[in-house]
Amino acid sequence: MKKKMIVKWTNNVVTGILMILLISVATLVIATKMTGGQPEIFGYQLKSVLSGSMEPGIQTGSIIAMKSANEEEKSNFQAGDVITFMGEEDNLITHRITEIASTDSGVVYTTKGDNNNAPDSAPVLAENVVGSYNGFTIPYAGYIINFAQSPNGSLLFMILPGVLLIGYSAITTWRAPANSGR
């Protein structure tokens, strides 16, 4: 009797985890498609860190939560704030503001990676700021996200949860008549 309850409880837990995984992946895919590839969760975008310029505070391969900045906020950051901005080659960079200047073009930030020896060569126009880093980091999860965004990874993460759920359901259904006779 006790063994049956443990097996039933385990089955429920595994089924619940697989369902949550399947629903989470589907929700993330739908949100990504609806927002043009930039899903937001409670006003935050999750970004993968690809370099070690902000180590040790932000490790390579981490995921960071970045709060999107509106037009007014883009000009109101302070020295010491960590911002994410569009770089010269349309890549996102997350660095710390070291200096702020007002020019004819508007507010300009001098930035530097915490692990870099010198400030960035090009100042950042306030209009190029995408958002600010709030301190939330998930170490190494960026490697998984980068793999998931690759063609093989997206196929794996889209199909695997469904296949696991169907396989687990088939095994549970197949074993049910065998266990009911006891």
Side-chain angles (χ1 to χ4, degrees):
M1 184 70 164
K2 191 172 187 177
K3 184 179 177 183
K4 276 187 177 183
M5 287 185 61
I6 292 172
V7 169
K8 184 177 180 180
W9 183 82
T10 304
N11 284 340
N12 290 340
V13 169
V14 171
T15 302
I17 290 170
L18 289 174
M19 285 299 290
I20 289 169
L21 182 62
L22 184 63
I23 291 168
S24 298
V25 168
T27 302
L28 185 61
V29 169
I30 291 168
T32 301
K33 296 296 181 190
M34 288 176 59
T35 60
Q38 300 299 324
E40 286 193 14
I41 301 170
F42 304 115
Y44 290 90
Q45 291 182 17
L46 301 180
K47 300 292 182 187
S48 298
V49 178
L50 303 176
S51 78
S53 67
M54 289 297 289
E55 288 186 355
I58 305 174
Q59 297 176 341
T60 305
S62 297
I63 288 180
I64 63 170
M66 181 201 68
K67 177 117 173 90
S68 298
N70 62 36
E71 292 304 315
E72 183 181 320
E73 292 170 332
K74 290 181 179 188
S75 300
N76 292 324
F77 290 108
Q78 304 296 315
D81 289 345
V82 177
I83 58 169
T84 300
F85 57 92
M86 192 62 67
E88 293 175 353
E89 298 174 11
D90 288 340
N91 55 338
L92 291 176
I93 300 169
T94 300
H95 281 172
R96 189 175 307 279
I97 297 172
T98 57
E99 293 179 29
I100 303 166
S102 292
T103 65
D104 294 338
S105 304
V107 175
V108 177
Y109 300 113
T110 301
T111 56
K112 178 184 172 295
D114 291 350
N115 199 29
N116 294 349
N117 293 329
D120 299 335
S121 58
V124 178
L125 293 171
E127 64 191 42
N128 290 340
V129 174
V130 177
S132 62
Y133 168 66
N134 72 342
F136 180 78
T137 304
I138 304 173
Y140 308 113
Y143 293 124
I144 297 168
I145 298 298
N146 287 338
F147 175 71
Q149 291 174 341
S150 71
N152 291 336
S154 61
L155 183 65
L156 177 71
F157 281 104
M158 287 299 298
I159 293 175
L160 186 62
V163 169
L164 288 174
L165 189 59
I166 291 170
Y168 183 73
S169 297
I171 291 170
T172 303
T173 304
W174 176 72
R175 290 181 60 179
N179 289 336
S180 65
R182 294 182 186 178

